[in-house]
Amino acid sequence: FYARRLRRLVPALLLMLVVGALLICLVDPRPHASLRTGLAAVVGFSNVELQQQATDYFARSAQLNVFTHTWSLGVEEQFYLLYPLLVWGCGYGRRGGGAARLALAIGGLSLASLAAFAWLWGTAPSAAYFLMPARLWEIGAGCLLQLALERRPWVLSWLLELPPLPLLLALLAT
């Protein structure tokens, strides 16, 4: 998994970082925040760097940081360090399954993460936005869906038969 991910993401990431760093140095007299964020993106921690800069993703200052968008890669990479430990610790894939234990662990962590997100949103919005513990619930929802689909593959065909979300939203709006 890690090797495939590295082969797929790292070349494009490095190219984007090098070109972006060169261009930002040409147009920004103070490119330091962008360059620090770019360096942090190399090791999967640009989200932490952005949170330490107390960056508002939609603020004017964030528009000047050419690497602000790499925060989500940081969240994902940090999650991918935690997830295998959860899988291993729950015994998933070994005799006896462990799927239920893994679902409980992910579900519990996701609920705690959602609570942390809600609390941090009012007290430290940049931490709620950028840091993995407050964003784990979103990736955790996808993990729970995958676990459910493994146990009940018919759910996928049922989901695919549902009307598209924009149509459902339009119906609800009328």
Side-chain angles (χ1 to χ4, degrees):
F1 170 79
Y2 292 118
R4 283 191 320 265
R5 187 153 175 87
L6 287 172
R7 278 194 305 268
R8 186 172 53 98
L9 290 179
V10 169
L13 176 65
L14 290 177
L15 178 65
M16 183 271 304
L17 290 172
V18 169
V19 170
L22 290 173
L23 292 175
I24 197 66
C25 286
L26 291 174
V27 298
D28 187 353
R30 290 186 296 255
H32 302 83
S34 286
L35 296 176
R36 279 194 314 272
T37 304
L39 284 173
V42 171
V43 293
F45 282 90
S46 61
N47 61 321
V48 175
E49 174 64 28
L50 288 163
Q51 192 275 326
Q52 289 175 349
Q53 294 175 21
T55 301
D56 178 350
Y57 188 82
F58 299 104
R60 178 106 174 102
S61 61
Q63 294 174 1
L64 300 176
N65 188 331
V66 295
F67 304 123
T68 301
H69 65 285
T70 62
W71 73 270
S72 62
L73 280 176
V75 169
E76 289 174 29
E77 296 308 321
Q78 293 156 29
F79 178 79
Y80 294 145
L81 294 174
L82 172 68
Y83 192 65
L85 297 174
L86 282 173
V87 169
W88 178 79
C90 291
Y92 182 76
R94 288 184 256 162
R95 200 175 338 178
R101 287 187 298 274
L102 182 58
L104 283 172
I106 293 171
L109 286 172
S110 293
L111 287 174
S113 171
L114 182 58
F117 178 83
W119 179 72
L120 286 170
W121 193 255
T123 59
S126 65
Y129 190 86
F130 288 116
L131 298 183
M132 187 275 292
R135 299 307 288 251
L136 182 140
W137 64 274
E138 296 164 311
I139 301 172
C143 293
L144 290 172
L145 178 61
Q146 175 60 35
L147 287 169
L149 291 175
E150 284 179 7
R151 294 187 48 93
R152 293 176 179 80
W154 57 267
V155 172
L156 181 59
S157 60
W158 177 78
L159 287 172
L160 292 174
E161 290 175 13
L162 289 175
L165 184 59
L167 178 61
L168 290 174
L169 292 175
L171 290 172
L172 287 174
T174 57

